[in-house]
Amino acid sequence: AMSSASGKAKGKQPMAPVEDEEFKPTAELDDETSLLEEEGLPQEDTGAEISSLEEEANLPIEEVIRRMRERAEAEGEYDDDDEEEEEGEFTD
């Protein structure tokens, strides 16, 4: 059994390195059908969206944290005990 395994190994030739072929671009037309579909949809009020985003960008950090807590509490993820323990560690 050993002689047949060594015979297979001797029979293999080292693989020659495969050379990368040069990139040949294909002449494809841009498919803008999805873009046209999107443009055809009724557009939301972009002015209202922009002002809403600007309003959020100018919020004080305390308000951002408060909103994040409210959202987490609504989803049942926020645990107020963790923060109290951390505060206790620093006051000792």
Side-chain angles (χ1 to χ4, degrees):
M2 199 169 144
S3 62
S4 65
S6 62
K8 286 180 183 174
K10 287 180 183 173
K12 284 188 177 180
Q13 293 181 342
M15 287 186 59
V18 179
E19 301 230 359
D20 288 340
E21 291 183 26
E22 190 172 325
F23 177 73
K24 295 178 181 114
T26 57
E28 290 184 29
L29 294 174
D30 284 337
D31 179 20
E32 296 184 0
T33 54
S34 60
L35 182 62
L36 293 172
E37 288 173 16
E38 187 73 26
E39 287 176 352
L41 295 175
Q43 297 297 314
E44 294 179 24
D45 183 9
T46 52
E49 184 176 356
I50 290 172
S51 64
S52 169
L53 291 171
E54 285 175 347
E55 205 174 285
E56 283 182 21
N58 295 326
L59 279 178
I61 190 68
E62 293 81 13
E63 179 66 15
V64 173
I65 293 169
R66 187 186 67 76
R67 289 184 183 186
M68 288 173 67
R69 278 193 186 139
E70 284 179 1
R71 209 171 287 148
E73 286 171 353
E75 294 171 7
E77 295 176 5
Y78 182 71
D79 186 6
D80 198 34
D81 294 339
D82 293 344
E83 193 170 296
E84 288 175 11
E85 288 174 19
E86 288 176 18
E87 289 173 7
E89 290 173 17
F90 294 108
T91 56
D92 291 339

